[in-house]
Amino acid sequence: MQFNFDSSEPLYLQVAKQIENAIFVGSFEAGEQVPSTTEISRDFQINPATVLKGMNILVSDGLIQKKRGRGMFVLEDAQEKIRAKRKDEFFQDYILKMVIEAKSLGLDQDTIISLVERGFKQK
């Protein structure tokens, strides 16, 4: 994990995003324990309350679960929930903006599709 202490993004959101990404790429698999609040706060010199706030976002998003006295564990469907969330964000952040710009340029759906196909062919 890497944290940017100079970023305008709050640390608790960085904690949540770092753990979420680790779950998404398979660094933490379903049923596996994630590092404790104490471990993260100690290793990265972050206030434990800040780390806990980030972890609680993941709990409320249904990605990890608290097991009293044992720690936080990745839920079975966490990776799929993250994939669905990211697909929706991709649609909102890229596709809708692309369609609006395409319409302003007078491009029709077939032209957009051919441009996307051309993009897939390039590296």
Side-chain angles (χ1 to χ4, degrees):
M1 285 190 250
Q2 296 178 340
F3 299 101
N4 182 350
F5 293 92
D6 296 323
S7 173
S8 61
E9 182 177 45
L11 278 173
Y12 73 93
L13 289 178
Q14 291 183 50
V15 168
K17 285 181 179 181
Q18 293 276 332
I19 296 171
E20 178 184 294
N21 197 57
I23 293 168
F24 184 67
V25 300
S27 296
F28 299 124
E29 296 183 8
E32 189 175 344
Q33 185 174 8
V34 298
S36 71
T37 302
T38 304
E39 288 175 291
I40 295 172
S41 64
R42 181 192 63 229
D43 292 349
F44 299 99
Q45 288 80 48
I46 300 173
N47 185 307
T50 300
V51 176
L52 184 59
K53 189 173 181 180
M55 296 270 220
N56 283 335
I57 290 172
L58 301 176
V59 170
S60 67
D61 287 349
L63 303 178
I64 62 175
Q65 152 185 7
K66 295 178 187 180
K67 292 187 179 180
R68 185 176 217 135
R70 295 185 51 217
M72 304 270 202
F73 293 82
V74 178
L75 290 169
E76 290 299 318
D77 60 349
Q79 197 174 47
E80 193 51 46
K81 283 183 179 179
I82 296 167
R83 181 174 284 107
K85 174 184 148 191
R86 289 184 178 190
K87 282 182 183 179
D88 185 56
E89 288 171 349
F90 178 78
F91 177 77
Q92 295 295 326
D93 295 344
Y94 298 100
I95 302 300
L96 286 180
K97 290 177 183 176
M98 178 188 68
V99 169
I100 291 167
E101 181 66 16
K103 285 181 177 180
S104 74
L105 294 170
L107 302 175
D108 64 12
Q109 183 175 339
D110 291 334
T111 303
I112 295 169
I113 290 170
S114 70
L115 289 170
V116 170
E117 288 171 345
R118 185 173 126 199
F120 268 99
K121 291 176 185 174
Q122 293 181 355
K123 291 187 179 190

